[in-house]
């Protein structure tokens, strides 16, 4: 197993064969009547709180414990899906196995199956951070995601190193793709997908490979204009507002920094008002997670889940040309 990037791919970017390209934005939840979707979400979120009463000090009572144990929202019991056998797996390629699961007709597009968690860590502290994203492409090298890599305080510094320079407010002029070429950050990362409808999880661990500017541009042109405006607007991870714990938050008219964000969006809209093709921001682009291991997890009764992991044994120029070992893991 190797922790080094394929430098050949970084210097001479190619266009691997795509299995999935730009799943696209997902339409919000639909509700009956004229009720706003946000109101429906709030009602759903408060359902458990309404059903389960707590004492003034939030100390559980025996009655509460009984209700928790019988409530349908308690820990899910994995009973509705068939087992995963090794004969169900692609014999040589975890990317093709992922594609098979991703395209499962039981996963409606409205459930946003492309939602995943990206986890990275800072060096030398080892401090880990994670956030939810949409993966947009699957090709023969790995999983591709696009994002605003923001300031040094965001994931940009973790991935691209302390010399990373590129920010929306111009305080750090530079370009994500130039900083990525320095190869001074922590390129190890993990992606996790969880599809509750089919009781499945996929865990990917591997090396981040920055996309070329050309590749980032190609996807950027597929984005809707308001999403492009939003990308230029955001100063990723910059603090817009803060409050001390002693100050009251009960004032409904309290200015919390949202207006600053909206005003900047208006400035960006005015800036590009006469521009047909909004340019790619210097702090925005794509990365590919080239896998070293890929685990396929199927929920089973009694928490005796089926877990199979592909482990790269011999690195090639793509996952397609690599040799993989398949292991069953204990749940």
């Amino acid at each position: 197993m190797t922790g080094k990037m394929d430098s050949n791919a970084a210097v001479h970017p190619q266009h691997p064969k795509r299995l999935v390209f730009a799943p696209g934005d997902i339409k919000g939840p639909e509700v009956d009547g004229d009720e706003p979707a946000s109101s429906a979400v709030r009602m759903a979120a408060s359902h458990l709180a309404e059903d389960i009463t707590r004492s003034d000090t939030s100390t559980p009572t025996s009655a509460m414990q009984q209700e928790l144990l019988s409530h349908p929202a308690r820990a899910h019991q994995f009973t509705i899906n068939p087992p995963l056998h090794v004969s169900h797996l692609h014999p040589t390629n975890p990317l093709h196995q992922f594609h098979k699961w991703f395209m499962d007709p039981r996963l409606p597009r409205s459930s946003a199956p492309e939602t995943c968690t990206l986890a990275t860590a800072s060096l030398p502290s080892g401090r880990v951070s994670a956030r939810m994203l949409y993966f947009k492409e699957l090709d023969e090298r790995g999983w591709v995601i696009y994002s605003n890599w923001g300031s040094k305080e965001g994931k940009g510094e973790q991935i691209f190193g302390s010399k990373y320079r590129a920010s929306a407010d111009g305080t750090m002029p530079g370009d994500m793709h130039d900083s990525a070429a320095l190869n001074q950050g922590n390129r190890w990362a993990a992606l996790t997908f969880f599809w509750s409808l089919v009781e499945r999880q996929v865990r990917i661990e591997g090396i981040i490979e920055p996309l070329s500017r050309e590749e980032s541009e190609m996807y950027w042109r597929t984005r809707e204009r308001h999403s492009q405006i939003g990308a230029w607007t955001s100063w990723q991870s910059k603090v817009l507002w803060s409050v001390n714990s002693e100050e009251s938050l009960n004032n409904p008219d309290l200015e919390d920094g949202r207006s600053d964000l909206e005003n900047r969006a208006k400035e960006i809209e005015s800036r590009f008002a006469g521009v047909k093709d909004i340019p790619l921001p210097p702090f925005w682009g794509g990365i590919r997670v080239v896998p070293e291991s890929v685990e396929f997890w199927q929920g089973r009764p009694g928490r005796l889940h089926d877990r199979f992991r592909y482990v790269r044994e011999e690195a090639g120029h793509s996952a397609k040309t690599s040799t993989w070992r398949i292991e069953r893991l204990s749940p």
Side-chain angles (χ1 to χ4, degrees):
M1 207 182 282
T2 176
K4 295 182 179 180
M5 282 179 50
D6 181 352
S7 59
N8 197 30
V11 176
H12 303 289
Q14 308 206 344
H15 301 288
K17 178 182 177 182
R18 289 185 175 88
L19 303 175
V20 173
F21 177 72
D25 294 334
I26 297 298
K27 186 178 180 181
E30 296 181 357
V31 295
D32 295 331
D34 297 327
E35 181 185 21
S38 58
S39 176
V41 172
R42 285 195 298 271
M43 288 180 60
S46 64
H47 178 72
L48 183 57
E50 293 173 355
D51 285 354
I52 301 177
T53 58
R54 293 177 179 269
S55 68
D56 291 339
T57 57
S58 296
T59 301
T61 64
S62 58
M64 177 187 172
Q65 290 171 350
Q66 282 187 340
E67 192 143 4
L68 279 170
L69 291 173
S70 62
H71 199 280
R74 69 184 291 256
H76 180 71
Q77 302 300 310
F78 299 89
T79 60
I80 63 174
N81 284 287
L84 177 63
H85 295 298
V86 67
S87 60
H88 299 157
L89 300 174
H90 192 282
T92 61
N93 193 320
L95 297 177
H96 286 275
Q97 178 61 35
F98 178 89
H99 181 257
K100 177 182 177 181
W101 271 20
F102 183 77
M103 301 304 293
D104 190 320
R106 295 176 300 163
L107 282 178
R109 298 301 96 184
S110 60
S111 70
E114 65 266 40
T115 305
C116 60
T117 299
L118 170 67
T120 57
S122 298
L123 294 176
S125 68
R127 185 167 180 169
V128 179
S129 69
R131 63 170 168 166
M132 305 294 289
L133 307 136
Y134 288 141
F135 112 93
K136 291 295 184 180
E137 299 173 30
L138 176 67
D139 59 35
E140 290 182 334
R141 286 192 62 78
W143 286 259
V144 174
I145 57 178
Y146 295 89
S147 184
N148 178 336
W149 300 106
S151 65
K152 288 176 63 177
E153 291 76 19
K155 282 191 176 291
E157 183 181 19
Q158 291 182 333
I159 296 173
F160 306 130
S162 60
K163 294 185 178 181
Y164 171 66
R165 293 291 184 272
S167 66
D169 57 4
T171 58
M172 288 184 290
D175 187 282
M176 168 212 151
H177 300 92
D178 294 337
S179 298
L182 297 174
N183 194 23
Q184 294 181 333
N186 178 13
R187 293 298 173 81
W188 280 103
L191 285 175
T192 303
F193 293 81
F194 179 61
W195 301 313
S196 60
L197 290 175
V198 290
E199 300 176 333
R200 285 175 173 174
Q201 179 179 198
V202 181
R203 300 173 59 212
I204 300 127
E205 296 180 3
I207 302 297
I208 287 178
E209 175 183 280
L211 268 60
S212 67
R213 186 179 287 103
E214 177 192 6
E215 290 173 294
S216 293
E217 285 269 11
M218 182 171 64
Y219 173 70
W220 173 258
R221 291 193 294 270
T222 72
R223 288 172 66 88
E224 296 184 6
R225 187 178 180 88
H226 73 273
S227 294
Q228 294 177 337
I229 293 292
W232 272 101
T233 298
S234 175
W235 300 347
Q236 187 82 35
S237 300
K238 178 181 179 180
V239 176
L240 297 177
W241 176 84
S242 65
V243 64
N244 294 325
S245 57
E246 295 83 5
E247 299 181 43
S248 174
L249 299 179
N250 295 326
N251 181 3
D253 298 322
L254 182 66
E255 172 53 53
D256 62 4
R258 177 72 192 188
S259 62
D260 292 340
L261 184 64
E262 293 176 347
N263 288 336
R264 177 164 170 80
K266 293 177 182 177
E267 293 173 4
I268 297 297
E269 287 176 356
S270 298
R271 175 180 171 185
F272 294 119
V275 178
K276 179 181 178 182
D277 296 320
I278 297 176
L280 176 74
F283 48 84
W284 198 97
I287 62 170
R288 178 185 291 107
V289 179
V290 181
E292 295 288 324
S293 69
V294 185
E295 178 191 325
F296 294 88
W297 180 101
Q298 176 69 68
R300 295 292 305 279
R303 299 297 194 273
L304 295 179
H305 311 305
D306 289 322
R307 298 175 60 192
F308 288 97
R309 180 174 62 188
Y310 293 74
V311 180
R312 189 195 296 267
E313 291 193 314
E314 181 180 348
H317 290 296
S318 72
K320 180 180 180 180
T321 58
S322 297
T323 301
W324 298 89
R325 179 177 73 255
I326 300 178
E327 306 168 329
R328 176 186 275 276
L329 303 180
S330 172

